[in-house]
Amino acid sequence: MPIIRPEKNTALRPVFNASHRLGQQPSLNDCLFTGENHLPLMWDVLLRVRLWKYPIAADIRKAFLHLRIDQKDRNLQRFLWVADPLAD
């Protein structure tokens, strides 16, 4: 059920819990291949930033919409959107 605040004019956005399990069934996170961790350690990032006179930061908001997903895996990434979740 969505939380709606009349005093804030924000868009209603879905939030998905890919770690949720139903009984003995695996979650979506359990079924997806994660691959190797390519994220650098935070310590390395902090040390590397100190090497430069002008560090640059970026906002990665909406980055998920710009990821390239293999054609065979795209059906696993679809979301079911219900027009009115409160309707009977």
Side-chain angles (χ1 to χ4, degrees):
M1 177 176 285
I3 298 173
I4 300 172
R5 291 183 169 170
E7 69 274 5
K8 292 190 176 186
N9 189 16
T10 58
L12 184 63
R13 292 181 296 275
V15 177
F16 302 98
N17 182 2
S19 63
H20 182 72
R21 291 192 174 101
L22 291 173
Q24 298 296 326
Q25 296 178 356
S27 68
L28 179 61
N29 286 346
D30 294 334
C31 297
L32 295 176
F33 176 69
T34 57
E36 297 178 33
N37 184 4
H38 294 286
L39 295 174
L41 297 173
M42 186 56 71
W43 182 254
D44 294 339
V45 173
L46 292 172
L47 288 177
R48 203 171 333 135
V49 164
R50 295 177 59 93
L51 296 174
W52 303 101
K53 186 174 182 179
Y54 302 106
I56 298 174
D59 184 6
I60 60 168
R61 183 174 42 171
K62 299 181 183 175
F64 181 77
L65 300 175
H66 300 285
L67 296 176
R68 179 174 283 163
I69 299 172
D70 227 19
Q71 183 69 34
K72 64 181 177 56
D73 294 330
R74 288 185 186 173
N75 282 335
L76 300 172
Q77 298 289 326
R78 295 181 191 267
F79 297 113
L80 175 64
W81 183 260
V82 180
D84 185 5
L86 303 177
D88 289 332

